[in-house]
Amino acid sequence: MNADLHCHSTVSDGYFSPTDVARRAQAGGVTLWSLTDHDEIGGQVEARQAALELGMDYLCGVEISVTWASRTVHIVGLHVDPACEALVAGLERTRNGRAARAEAMGEALEALGIPNAYEGALKFVSNPDLISRTHFARFLVESGYAESTQDVFSRYLGEGKPGFIAHRWAKLADAVQWIHAAGGEAIVAHPGRYAYTPVEFDALFSEFIDLGGKAIEVITGSHTPDQYREYADVARRYGFEASRGSDFHAPGEGRIELGSLPPLPSDLKPVWERWL
Ligand code: AMP
Ligand code: MN
Ligand code: MN
Ligand code: MN
């Protein structure tokens, strides 16, 4: 079993169409796949059909942007019904405001001496509802303002950097509820990426459990190998099931290719076992 349950397509901030991501997943040896675009399930029908034609098992997925304690947390939903009205309406509300935020990012970058970044980012956008910092990052790299997307986030667009525009996303309780209403399970994505204190992490995980959340990502392309061990321990301590996913967006933008992560530690319960 090679499960890769977190990645992105042109429906959000990935570089390839859902069908092309499916082909890449299969070429990478993935046998159980989920496409988890940000705040958007518009790619699910295409992704599922492509997966089945390529002989992979498929779980419908999504990655929801949440604001918790003034910071952004991502919650992955797996095995969701993409036709669920509560989920569709909730995601639509979550996407609202991205356009105005992007214009404000363009103005902030202009003030830093980088003109026309909004227009430049738009050239990389396929889904007009979903302009993200990644699209700005691609423009800034292409135009020579930064060496890599990582460089863009550390200098301009990461939290607290001069091009960063704070935004209020969904509430944690709402995101978990939409996922449950759609028949899925909620998973805290890449917990190693959040700048919370230990007390805040404990409050986040405790609230997530109270809301019926059952799993966290342990093995993800957004974690370092040290963080694989750290969050495996967190899963043991809180009784979380574990998930695994590359968080693949585009060649050269992340550390990890589809299907190439190490396996979960064998004592952890994979969140996907319930659906096999
Ligand atoms: P947004 O939803 O517009 O805030 O954009 C968030 C996206 O930016 C994430 O899903 C990642 O694809 C990308 N991102 C955020 N932080 C980083 C980082 N430090 N390095 C590379 N990409 C990042
Ligand atoms: Mn992304
Ligand atoms: Mn994420
Ligand atoms: Mn992601």
Side-chain angles (χ1 to χ4, degrees):
M1 167 70 61
N2 185 339
D4 195 321
L5 305 179
H6 185 153
C7 64
H8 299 273
S9 75
T10 46
V11 170
S12 63
D13 60 351
Y15 194 78
F16 297 115
S17 70
T19 299
D20 286 342
V21 185
R23 292 197 180 110
R24 214 168 165 101
Q26 195 236 13
V30 174
T31 56
L32 175 64
W33 179 53
S34 182
L35 176 70
T36 54
D37 277 307
H38 297 285
D39 307 322
E40 172 69 91
I41 33 79
Q44 292 305 307
V45 170
E46 181 184 333
R48 177 169 50 196
Q49 188 181 333
L52 299 184
E53 281 171 10
L54 290 162
M56 295 184 289
D57 286 319
Y58 189 74
L59 297 170
C60 285
V62 67
E63 179 176 22
I64 305 181
S65 310
V66 161
T67 301
W68 190 88
S70 307
R71 289 207 153 92
T72 301
V73 169
H74 286 170
I75 301 295
V76 163
L78 292 178
H79 191 262
V80 291
D81 172 4
C84 170
E85 272 178 36
L87 178 65
V88 169
L91 293 179
E92 192 178 334
R93 265 189 283 135
T94 306
R95 289 194 299 273
N96 270 343
R98 271 190 184 267
R101 169 189 183 241
E103 286 182 38
M105 271 195 271
E107 285 162 23
L109 289 167
E110 174 118 42
L112 295 170
I114 303 176
N116 303 319
Y118 174 67
E119 294 75 11
L122 274 183
K123 283 190 298 172
F124 291 92
V125 172
S126 308
N127 175 358
D129 267 5
L130 219 125
I131 176 160
S132 106
R133 284 184 286 163
T134 308
H135 301 113
F136 280 83
R138 291 188 185 133
F139 164 73
L140 291 173
V141 172
E142 179 202 60
S143 315
Y145 290 105
E147 281 172 12
S148 63
T149 48
Q150 197 50 56
D151 187 31
V152 171
F153 282 92
S154 40
R155 284 166 56 206
Y156 297 113
L157 295 185
E159 212 171 282
K161 301 299 175 199
F164 178 75
I165 302 292
H167 192 70
R168 188 166 285 271
W169 303 107
K171 292 196 176 94
L172 179 64
D174 288 341
V176 173
Q177 202 188 332
W178 303 333
I179 291 166
H180 287 163
E185 292 293 349
I187 295 138
V188 178
H190 43 62
R193 281 225 329 230
Y194 311 132
Y196 292 126
T197 65
V199 169
E200 286 172 323
F201 265 117
D202 183 57
L204 170 66
F205 293 140
S206 303
E207 185 179 330
F208 182 64
I209 288 170
D210 289 344
L211 293 167
K214 293 206 174 59
I216 64 171
E217 287 183 344
V218 171
I219 305 291
T220 146
S222 295
H223 281 172
T224 62
D226 278 347
Q227 289 173 326
Y228 300 162
R229 288 182 279 277
E230 182 180 350
Y231 288 95
D233 276 339
V234 167
R236 292 179 189 112
R237 231 177 315 128
Y238 287 86
F240 284 130
E241 296 171 19
S243 193
R244 174 178 187 263
S246 56
D247 207 356
F248 176 81
H249 285 72
E253 283 187 13
R255 222 164 37 78
I256 294 284
E257 261 295 334
L258 284 149
S260 69
L261 286 165
L264 288 179
S266 58
D267 65 308
L268 296 184
K269 187 168 159 51
V271 66
W272 60 84
E273 265 182 1
R274 70 187 69 238
W275 299 304
L276 296 182

